[in-house]
Amino acid sequence: MGGLKGRTALVTGGGRGIGRAIASRLAADGALVAVHYGSDASSARETVELITEDGGRAFAVRALLGAPDDVTTLYEGFDRGLAELGEPPALDILVNNAGFNVRGGVAEVTQEDFDRLMAVHAGAPLFLVQRGLERLREGGRIVNISSAATRVAFTSALAYTMAKSALEALTRTLAKELGPRQITVNSVAPGFVRTELNKDRWSTPEAEATHAALSAFGRMGRPADIADVVAFLASDDSRWVTGQCIDASGGTGL
């Protein structure tokens, strides 16, 4: 613990679920964490409170990703939050976690849903990095939260899978481009994780058991399972790992 002391992290979608677990873990490791949220201010405040109660440092930042001027709004709030804490407008760790899912196969997907999914899962991470280049310090870390759906064919989530696949392509390309600055870029692919996202799919014990059986360990993932992998990629221990997608699905689909 403490390996991230003196570093600043930004976690998009950090108010709930996997994002909250990531923000809490990075703060426990010593980072100052900006907890981004889109509309659920109470959850973001709760995440910040949980971190500060545990002795960490965090603040909330609001921006609706996929909306006009989303990246500008986010970084204005980010810089303002840092200034209020007497910190410079610098960034060491960017975790692109914010996301949502709209189920549907090829016959059900709509243009509107496809555009929204691509904007949030692929477009926002791209432009957050682009606009964040002047803030990202040498030796920084970028971690993109992908999905096991890019490896295992889930026909009920076609547009979501396409958006996450674009995010993985971005990961590989940025890893090569930012390598000279010693910035690593990797993605993490969770499987079925017990969070609010898609909770209707495992709302009964029978449904949860069905999803748990898809893992080699016979259980669903927990947010901390993903946060621990992200923490490794955010640390100095991962300095020789870049351009990779780390499967954190518990062996789903093996």
Side-chain angles (χ1 to χ4, degrees), residues 8-165:
T8 299
L10 168 59
V11 181
T12 67
R16 296 183 297 175
I18 292 174
R20 172 178 286 182
I22 292 171
S24 298
R25 174 59 197 268
L26 296 181
D29 286 356
L32 165 60
V33 182
V35 178
H36 160 267
Y37 69 97
S39 57
D40 190 350
S42 61
S43 291
R45 284 196 299 269
E46 185 177 346
T47 300
V48 171
E49 289 170 1
L50 289 170
I51 289 173
T52 55
E53 287 171 1
D54 285 341
R57 302 175 71 206
F59 62 95
V61 179
R62 181 185 182 280
L64 187 61
L65 298 183
D69 300 319
D70 54 351
V71 174
T72 298
T73 300
L74 196 158
Y75 275 128
E76 285 177 350
F78 177 74
D79 292 345
R80 186 166 54 250
L82 288 175
E84 291 172 356
L85 294 172
E87 298 286 345
L91 180 61
D92 299 286
I93 303 161
L94 171 61
V95 182
N96 288 305
N97 165 76
F100 67 100
N101 190 8
V102 177
R103 293 205 296 273
V106 66
E108 294 83 26
V109 65
T110 67
Q111 185 72 55
E112 179 184 10
D113 289 340
F114 177 83
D115 290 344
R116 286 177 58 226
L117 285 161
M118 291 298 294
V120 173
H121 290 279
L126 166 61
F127 294 110
L128 279 169
V129 173
Q130 182 190 71
R131 293 287 297 277
L133 286 176
E134 61 185 22
R135 295 172 176 82
L136 270 167
R137 289 190 272 218
E138 296 288 314
R141 301 285 187 264
I142 298 171
V143 183
N144 299 319
I145 305 303
S146 182
S147 170
T150 63
R151 175 178 58 82
V152 181
F154 293 111
T155 57
S156 62
L158 176 60
Y160 174 81
T161 299
M162 292 177 68
K164 288 299 192 183
S165 296

